[in-house]
Amino acid sequence: ILNVEQSPQSLHVQEGDSTNFTCSFPSSNFYALHWYRWETAKSPEALFVMTLNGDEKKKGRISATLNTKEGYSYLYIKGSQPEDSATYLCASKTSYDKVIFGPGTSLSVIP
Amino acid sequence: DVKVTQSSRYLVKRTGEKVFLECVQDMDHENMFWYRQDPGLGLRLIYFSYDVKMKEKGDIPEGYSVSREKKERFSLILESASTNQTSMYLCASSPGLAGGSSYNEQFFGPGTRLTVL
């Protein structure tokens, strides 16, 4: 089983702070990388689907970068808000039907 | 709005009981998945199905079985529940190769928190 790692495991930031976290995945057999946001009592929802080395995606205050050669992706949140509090999951897709999830980074934004 | 629903949000069962977790999607997706989520671990794949009546074992299939009689419904069965199956169970679906990009993300249900006493 290939391992996908995320760091840090949890994070507490003040409202207005910018933050980032890391997803590490095996660079061999790379197919795609997904980022999901999982808010408490809700379903995980996809934030980004990334496929190309050097990809940068942005959605509002959240952005992500991808380095497939070294096997990492960064997720950035600019000016964190309390509604950003959630667990952020990354998932490495190694083929069209095989996905490995990381353990997640739990973000708490303190008002 | 796309939707994946699961039959229960919370479930409490006793050791040895047979447990059915139901999942329904309304997006006409070919692929459906069952995961469990435990603290400190990523979502771990139990079973998946890429077509009606088709099923494939995931990484942790022991103690579970599945059924997919209709395209929209994927059931997870715990034949004889045990305390180590206490967990959060998530169902997901995604389009198959014919239905969209092979890079497609998965769409998740809200989860069922199962406690086995």
Side-chain angles (χ1 to χ4, degrees):
Chain A
I1 299 176
L2 301 174
N3 280 334
V4 175
E5 298 175 353
Q6 291 186 248
S7 62
Q9 184 177 354
S10 65
L11 199 53
H12 298 262
V13 301
Q14 291 291 136
E15 182 175 352
D17 286 351
S18 294
T19 187
N20 65 85
F21 19 95
T22 305
C23 171
S24 300
F25 55 89
S27 53
S28 59
N29 298 322
F30 176 80
Y31 197 78
L33 189 94
H34 298 165
W35 279 102
Y36 293 86
R37 176 168 57 200
W38 190 4
E39 296 178 69
T40 302
K42 294 187 178 179
S43 309
E45 290 186 349
L47 284 171
F48 302 116
V49 175
M50 309 181 80
T51 57
L52 298 175
N53 185 44
D55 249 357
E56 290 189 28
K57 300 271 185 175
K58 188 173 181 185
K59 186 181 288 188
R61 294 177 292 97
I62 304 177
S63 60
T65 60
L66 177 67
N67 183 321
T68 60
K69 293 184 179 178
E70 296 181 41
Y72 64 84
S73 176
Y74 294 136
L75 189 81
Y76 301 91
I77 302 179
K78 186 177 178 182
S80 302
Q81 300 297 308
E83 58 265 30
D84 296 328
S85 297
T87 296
Y88 291 82
L89 298 171
C90 77
S92 172
K93 204 167 183 182
T94 57
S95 67
Y96 78 93
D97 64 348
K98 183 68 175 171
V99 177
I100 308 292
F101 281 84
T105 292
S106 175
L107 174 67
S108 295
V109 182
I110 304 161
Chain B
D1 201 16
V2 297
K3 205 111 176 163
V4 179
T5 56
Q6 295 183 227
S7 49
S8 306
R9 292 301 299 270
Y10 299 94
L11 208 52
V12 179
K13 294 291 181 182
R14 296 208 173 272
T15 301
E17 281 193 78
K18 190 168 186 176
V19 182
F20 292 88
L21 302 182
E22 306 284 346
C23 175
V24 178
Q25 51 96 3
D26 65 1
M27 296 163 282
D28 201 35
H29 284 168
E30 283 75 21
N31 300 331
M32 295 189 75
F33 308 84
W34 274 107
Y35 294 93
R36 62 179 282 176
Q37 165 80 22
D38 299 291
L41 301 175
L43 295 177
R44 291 183 293 165
L45 183 64
I46 304 170
Y47 268 97
F48 68 99
S49 167
Y50 50 84
D51 203 351
V52 176
K53 296 193 186 294
M54 304 296 285
K55 60 185 179 184
E56 294 283 341
K57 291 181 180 179
D59 300 318
I60 51 165
E62 296 78 20
Y64 304 94
S65 61
V66 290
S67 171
R68 192 161 180 206
E69 296 296 319
K70 294 185 178 181
K71 190 175 185 180
E72 67 270 19
R73 187 180 297 270
F74 192 34
S75 302
L76 181 69
I77 303 155
L78 287 66
E79 294 290 341
S80 177
S82 63
T83 54
N84 62 13
Q85 292 178 309
T86 292
S87 187
M88 168 71 86
Y89 290 88
L90 283 161
C91 173
S93 71
S94 69
L97 285 175
S101 165
S102 60
Y103 303 118
N104 276 338
E105 71 273 29
Q106 295 179 13
F107 296 85
F108 285 87
T112 296
R113 187 165 292 282
L114 172 68
T115 301
V116 183
L117 302 175

